[in-house]
Amino acid sequence: CAALRDVVAYFSRMQVAFEPKVTIQFSVSLPENHGGWGRSHASYNTPSSMIRLNADAGVAAWGIASSDALARSFLTHEFVHLGMHLVLAERLSLVPPHGKDFLAYAIQFALMSPPLLVAILRAYADVKAFESLGHVNEATRARGPERFAVAAYKTYLSRGRTTFLRQVLELDIQLP
């Protein structure tokens, strides 16, 4: 899978290696007791190392219509969660859920196809990088996940790209 190879290579460029082991489940229709998962494009289950892709949710996001590039970017996001799980291991609990999404979005955007990235950044030109990492929190993410994702990417750019992410993964920089 090209998306997985891209994520493994990205982590390698940060001098962080992991051996990916993952199961991918494709869900065409959800059971009635899906627990709200129906609104999500995909999810990574840490204990089972399984990614679930949800066809019922559609793949439109950021005002961008469904496309292979957009679907691949969602899969990339989940592979980043896998990478964090394997790299951080028992220290994973030290990174809050919004911090994990912050990192996953930053790398997702860094690996996005250029035309898709340009279209999203153009549509969200008003979104700025987080002024402080204190703004990377659950309330900010919950108010607007798509805006949170764009702000995560712009923060990644403004703070040194892979150098910044490596510091976060090594827990030298802690997300609140």
Side-chain angles (χ1 to χ4, degrees):
C1 174
L4 180 56
R5 281 193 306 272
D6 289 349
V7 170
V8 170
Y10 188 90
F11 274 77
S12 292
R13 286 192 299 274
M14 289 190 295
Q15 285 127 20
V16 178
F18 67 92
E19 183 67 33
K21 292 180 182 155
V22 65
T23 301
I24 300 175
Q25 178 185 37
F26 296 91
S27 181
V28 177
S29 62
L30 296 175
E32 287 189 31
N33 63 345
H34 59 73
W37 190 70
R39 293 182 304 274
S40 177
H41 296 93
S43 68
Y44 175 70
N45 181 290
T46 301
S48 65
S49 268
M50 182 174 73
I51 293 172
R52 289 177 61 188
L53 299 174
N54 180 7
D56 278 356
V59 288
W62 296 289
I64 306 294
S66 175
S67 70
D68 288 345
L70 189 58
R72 178 181 169 151
S73 79
F74 289 124
L75 187 55
T76 297
H77 180 95
E78 300 310 326
F79 284 142
V80 173
H81 280 289
L82 166 71
M84 285 186 284
H85 164 86
L86 296 173
V87 167
L88 291 171
E90 68 277 351
R91 299 174 302 145
L92 187 66
S93 64
L94 298 175
V95 181
H98 57 270
K100 293 172 195 147
D101 267 345
F102 173 87
L103 295 169
Y105 281 129
I107 296 171
Q108 174 185 0
F109 275 57
L111 294 176
M112 225 176 239
S113 72
L116 177 59
L117 179 62
V118 167
I120 293 171
L121 294 178
R122 188 174 296 132
Y124 286 83
D126 64 314
V127 174
K128 306 290 183 225
F130 291 115
E131 291 178 22
S132 152
L133 292 181
H135 293 124
V136 178
N137 58 57
E138 188 57 40
T140 305
R141 181 178 72 159
R143 273 195 306 269
E146 292 179 341
R147 295 178 70 77
F148 180 86
V150 173
Y153 177 67
K154 290 183 176 182
T155 303
Y156 153 87
L157 293 176
S158 71
R159 290 187 174 255
R161 299 176 188 243
T162 56
T163 301
F164 167 67
L165 291 183
R166 189 173 58 245
Q167 291 173 322
V168 174
L169 284 171
E170 292 173 353
L171 302 177
D172 294 337
I173 295 175
Q174 299 221 344
L175 298 173

